[in-house]
């Protein structure tokens, strides 16, 4: 099995987008906030963020993640978490609770 690390990026207001995975043939898909693909009007101080991995390679699994929350999709894609950055977390989990600063509308 191949073990790889991935970056999941989220934008403020949780219109989530995926940053490029660190491996060819691997995509981060199914991005959700509180089980919604297009979450608007969430009144939750610690929303749950989820994602799935898809790969054309066999045996690929996640060994760590990093979630970035930014005010724009461009900042998130660039790895600039101006709202919150989970840092690299060694875990196969594909869901976490947001624990950054209070979110505004």
């Amino acid at each position: 099995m191949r073990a790889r690390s991935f970056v999941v990026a989220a934008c403020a207001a949780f219109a989530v987008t995926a940053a490029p995975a660190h491996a060819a043939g691997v995509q981060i898909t199914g991005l959700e906030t509180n089980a919604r693909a297009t979450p608007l009007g969430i009144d939750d101080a610690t929303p749950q963020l989820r994602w799935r991995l898809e790969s054309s390679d066999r045996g690929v699994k996640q060994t760590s993640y990093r979630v970035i929350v930014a005010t724009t999709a461009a900042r998130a894609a660039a790895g600039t978490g101006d709202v919150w950055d989970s840092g690299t977390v060694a875990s196969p989990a594909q869901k976490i609770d947001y624990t950054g600063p209070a979110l505004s509308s």
Side-chain angles (χ1 to χ4, degrees):
M1 281 194 177
R2 292 187 192 143
R4 301 206 178 130
S5 299
F6 301 95
V7 175
V8 177
C11 298
F14 299 101
V16 289
T17 59
H22 295 297
V26 178
Q27 291 184 331
I28 300 167
T29 64
L31 297 169
E32 295 180 346
T33 302
N34 283 2
R36 293 185 192 164
T38 54
L40 296 174
I42 290 179
D43 188 20
D44 185 346
T46 58
Q48 186 178 77
L49 308 174
R50 294 181 189 213
W51 61 93
R52 290 189 306 271
L53 299 180
E54 291 183 7
S55 176
S56 57
D57 297 335
R58 295 177 61 99
V60 173
K61 68 178 186 174
Q62 175 182 302
T63 58
S64 64
Y65 64 83
R66 178 180 176 205
V67 175
I68 296 167
V69 179
T71 54
T72 67
R75 284 184 179 156
T80 306
D82 61 339
V83 176
W84 179 65
D85 186 337
S86 70
T88 301
V89 179
S91 171
Q94 294 181 3
K95 65 179 180 179
I96 65 164
D97 290 334
Y98 170 82
T99 59
L103 300 169
S104 60
S105 59

